[in-house]
Amino acid sequence: MKYDAVVMGGGLAGLMCGIRLTQSGLSCAIVSAGQNALHFSSGSLDLLTHLPDGQVVEKPLDALDKLSEQSPEHPYSRLGKLSVIKLTHLAEALLQQSGMKLRGSSDENHYRITPLGHKRLTWLSPESVPTAALHSKMNMGNIAVVGIEGFLDFQPQMVSDELQREGFNASPYYVHLPLLDRLRENPSEFRAINVARWLDRPENMAEIVAEIKPLITDAETIFMPACIGLDTEQPLLELQKQLGKPIYLLPTLPPSLLGIRLHETLLRQFRRQGGIVMPGDKVTSVNCIGSRIESVTTRNHGDISLKASQFVLATGSFFNNGLVAEFDRVYEPLMHLDLCHIPERAQWTNKAFFASQPYMTFGVQTDEQLRAKKDGQTIENLYVAGAVLGGFDPLTEGCGAGVSLISGLHAAGEIMRYFERQRAMQAEVAQ
């Protein structure tokens, strides 16, 4: 099977790269081993919330110069400020075109309310998530924080207490929904996705409204766990309509409904544009000739190799086994690519649990165009995107989603330019 490009990894970086490639008319296949980090995310997307020295970032694009000074190996620094700004705006446009309803702008971060009721800086958030501008108070009146009896992944009392400390008027409530009794029998089944499958059924809407309505008579706004509206936002809109009050969703413990919806929306867009997805598959070997990859072999396709002119590695970090750590070494398992500097084992972690952890910056070493290196030599047609890249800390710097989106789009742009050059050369030869 032959494609213009093969992307290894179906997370945020891989999907965004594939969407851009298929939008330009190139053929693209994504090999996806299984669940990706989006299934465990809040659904909000961070661009840059803190500099490496801990300074809070309000305007991400304005902070890129300082970031380059403090962290020259950061993917943003390697790509350069102008490129990052251009790709950030492209990411916002493509997310909107894919059908994502997001609030926010790269001009200035905003606050989103976390599952614990805290305010956290971010770049883009689903419209159903409660947010606030940086320097203005979020005015929602009396807030009813409504949880579900027996649902341990969301604690209304804890959320309410934190909101009150933040200056909001919030009260906790627990609703008993008999239709969920069969899930209560098995705590492992009482998760947001399974709850949503019941709450999303139109025939259950009347019972849901009847149980919630008496609890929220004094409230002006409702906060609920994100366990309604799995495939479409229509059930949430209908519940909001019948209760007559705005409803906002707070992410729950994984698997996250908001993260899954983001993944499914991007996946549908990629397929709509003609992209091929190979779910549950995994690249097992890579055939290189000189400094170029000729083809890859996957677990499910046996002797049938996938051939392409260009390849993208977007296999994720330790969480997705894109990187593997043993007691005394860290390595990239597919091709044993060069990694950025890895210190001695004792320096991999910080004893302070909530401090920046050095291992979070481990990843594949690249050239300035984010092409992978092996034994010091650049692989000409293998771009690296997302969490498998080295040189950044996605958690303490608040840039994980941004790096995935921007590096994925950068890889797509470089591949598109490659084919433009090929077409120009062919046209010149024909003349």
Side-chain angles (χ1 to χ4, degrees):
M1 293 181 283
K2 192 172 190 316
Y3 303 91
D4 292 322
V6 169
V7 179
M8 295 170 273
L12 186 58
L15 281 172
M16 188 56 67
C17 178
I19 287 172
R20 182 63 174 148
L21 289 172
T22 52
Q23 184 188 57
S24 71
L26 297 176
S27 61
C28 177
I30 292 178
V31 182
S32 178
Q35 283 189 344
N36 58 77
L38 282 177
H39 287 235
F40 299 83
S41 78
S42 67
S44 291
L45 303 171
D46 296 340
L47 182 59
L48 182 66
T49 63
H50 293 80
L51 292 173
D53 66 1
Q55 181 181 342
V56 175
V57 172
E58 294 187 351
K59 299 179 183 296
L61 301 182
D62 291 347
L64 293 175
D65 288 329
K66 285 187 177 179
L67 178 66
S68 294
E69 294 172 6
Q70 296 182 22
S71 182
E73 296 304 310
H74 194 289
Y76 293 168
S77 305
R78 298 180 74 83
L79 292 177
K81 179 177 180 179
L82 294 179
S83 180
V84 171
I85 291 174
K86 178 182 176 181
L87 293 172
T88 297
H89 293 153
L90 177 59
E92 291 175 339
L94 288 179
L95 288 167
Q96 183 178 17
Q97 292 168 18
S98 297
M100 289 303 304
K101 296 182 179 179
L102 299 171
R103 180 185 292 114
S105 166
S106 56
D107 293 336
E108 184 175 81
N109 285 322
H110 65 269
Y111 287 116
R112 67 175 176 89
I113 305 299
T114 73
L116 297 179
H118 298 285
K119 291 193 300 185
R120 189 183 187 283
L121 284 174
T122 194
W123 166 32
L124 299 171
S125 293
E127 288 185 349
S128 57
V129 170
T131 60
L134 284 186
H135 302 292
S136 63
K137 186 175 181 180
M138 184 170 64
N139 184 15
M140 293 190 169
N142 295 331
I143 301 172
V145 184
V146 179
I148 300 171
E149 286 185 6
F151 183 59
L152 302 180
D153 294 353
F154 182 81
Q155 299 298 324
Q157 185 68 60
M158 187 182 299
V159 176
S160 178
D161 289 347
E162 185 57 37
L163 288 173
Q164 289 179 25
R165 280 191 284 270
E166 293 280 356
F168 299 104
N169 187 8
S171 302
Y173 299 93
Y174 291 85
V175 60
H176 177 72
L177 296 172
L179 63 94
L180 299 178
D181 285 346
R182 66 189 67 193
L183 293 180
R184 291 188 180 90
E185 296 172 2
N186 186 349
S188 65
E189 295 295 320
F190 210 169
R191 293 291 181 263
I193 304 308
N194 294 330
V195 171
R197 291 192 175 103
W198 286 95
L199 299 191
D200 286 357
R201 295 184 179 184
E203 63 269 23
N204 292 331
M205 182 58 66
E207 180 179 340
I208 299 169
V209 172
E211 293 290 339
I212 295 178
K213 202 162 191 174
L215 303 177
I216 49 100
T217 53
D218 296 330
E220 296 164 80
T221 306
I222 304 169
F223 284 8
M224 289 181 60
C227 53
I228 185 171
L230 177 59
D231 298 318
T232 170
E233 64 179 355
Q234 193 55 42
L236 175 63
L237 297 177
E238 180 62 26
L239 180 60
Q240 187 170 254
K241 177 182 175 183
Q242 294 205 28
L243 291 176
K245 297 175 182 180
I247 300 175
Y248 293 95
L249 301 180
L250 297 180
T252 65
L253 291 176
S256 164
L257 180 144
L258 295 172
I260 290 173
R261 280 195 63 185
L262 172 58
H263 175 258
E264 292 300 315
T265 300
L266 296 177
L267 187 60
R268 281 194 298 269
Q269 181 69 5
F270 176 66
R271 283 173 164 154
R272 273 197 300 264
Q273 295 178 174
I276 302 297
V277 181
M278 301 176 184
D281 205 352
K282 181 180 180 181
V283 174
T284 54
S285 64
V286 178
N287 175 34
C288 286
I289 298 179
S291 60
R292 291 183 62 84
I293 298 177
E294 293 296 314
S295 64
V296 297
T297 303
T298 73
R299 180 176 55 200
N300 293 351
H301 288 84
D303 296 334
I304 304 174
S305 60
L306 306 182
K307 298 179 180 180
S309 297
Q310 302 290 313
F311 295 83
V312 179
L313 184 74
T315 47
S317 188
F318 299 102
F319 179 78
N320 303 93
N321 292 319
L323 297 174
V324 175
E326 295 181 347
F327 181 78
D328 58 349
R329 68 168 183 152
V330 176
Y331 64 96
E332 188 280 315
L334 181 59
M335 297 180 64
H336 292 273
L337 298 169
D338 295 348
L339 301 185
C340 60
H341 173 67
I342 307 293
E344 294 182 357
R345 177 65 177 82
Q347 299 176 28
W348 289 6
T349 58
N350 191 319
K351 290 183 179 179
F353 184 77
F354 292 105
S356 177
Q357 298 295 330
Y359 72 86
M360 294 299 297
T361 67
F362 297 173
V364 172
Q365 188 178 42
T366 69
D367 67 3
E368 295 303 313
Q369 294 303 316
L370 302 189
R371 292 181 298 182
K373 290 186 176 183
K374 182 174 174 63
D375 300 326
Q377 183 180 21
T378 296
I379 301 177
E380 296 177 8
N381 62 339
L382 177 60
Y383 293 91
V384 185
V388 72
L389 281 165
F392 71 104
D393 185 333
L395 296 182
T396 59
E397 294 168 7
C399 62
V403 167
S404 291
L405 289 166
I406 287 166
S407 59
L409 289 175
H410 167 76
E414 290 299 303
I415 292 171
M416 289 162 58
R417 281 186 280 276
Y418 166 82
F419 281 101
E420 288 171 1
R421 291 193 297 270
Q422 293 295 107
R423 287 191 290 267
M425 289 172 58
Q426 292 171 1
E428 186 175 339
V429 170
Q431 289 177 356

